[in-house]
Amino acid sequence: MAQLERLGALFRQRRLEKGLSQEEFSSMLGLSRTRISAIERGVPGQSSILAEVADALGLDLVALPRESAEAAVARSRADAVRARRRHLSRGSE
């Protein structure tokens, strides 16, 4: 699988984990649903907005090429768990 396809698959997986449809996610970013679809399929020519999409999904685009998609997802899940624990611990104070 090419790098853009791996990145797109990671973006799709993360978007689904957040419970967002392509329509909802594209609306959040002010992009068309077809543009999100193209990014998730790894269609070339979308690189100008990859950082914005990664940021919206809580992913570090700079770190992604150095790690596998599975490692990036595991890291982002761990980050989400830590953030949730911090949030919950603040609520009990």
Side-chain angles (χ1 to χ4, degrees):
M1 185 183 287
Q3 183 70 17
L4 283 177
E5 290 171 336
R6 282 194 295 273
L7 190 57
L10 175 61
F11 286 172
R12 180 178 188 277
Q13 182 177 1
R14 184 68 170 157
R15 174 182 58 76
L16 292 173
E17 287 173 359
K18 290 181 168 283
L20 296 170
S21 68
Q22 283 184 342
E23 191 69 39
E24 292 166 328
F25 188 55
S26 64
S27 180
M28 281 175 45
L29 292 173
L31 301 170
S32 69
R33 187 205 56 77
T34 56
R35 186 105 189 248
I36 296 299
S37 175
I39 291 167
E40 291 181 354
R41 288 182 286 122
V43 174
Q46 310 302 317
S47 60
S48 64
I49 60 167
L50 292 181
E52 182 180 354
V53 172
D55 186 54
L57 293 170
L59 298 169
D60 182 0
L61 189 60
V62 175
L64 289 176
R66 292 189 303 261
E67 62 187 353
S68 69
E70 294 81 13
V73 169
R75 183 179 45 77
S76 67
R77 284 182 181 155
D79 290 346
V81 167
R82 282 192 293 278
R84 178 82 173 138
R85 286 181 181 153
R86 281 193 303 271
H87 175 73
L88 291 173
S89 68
R90 283 188 216 133
S92 63
E93 294 175 356

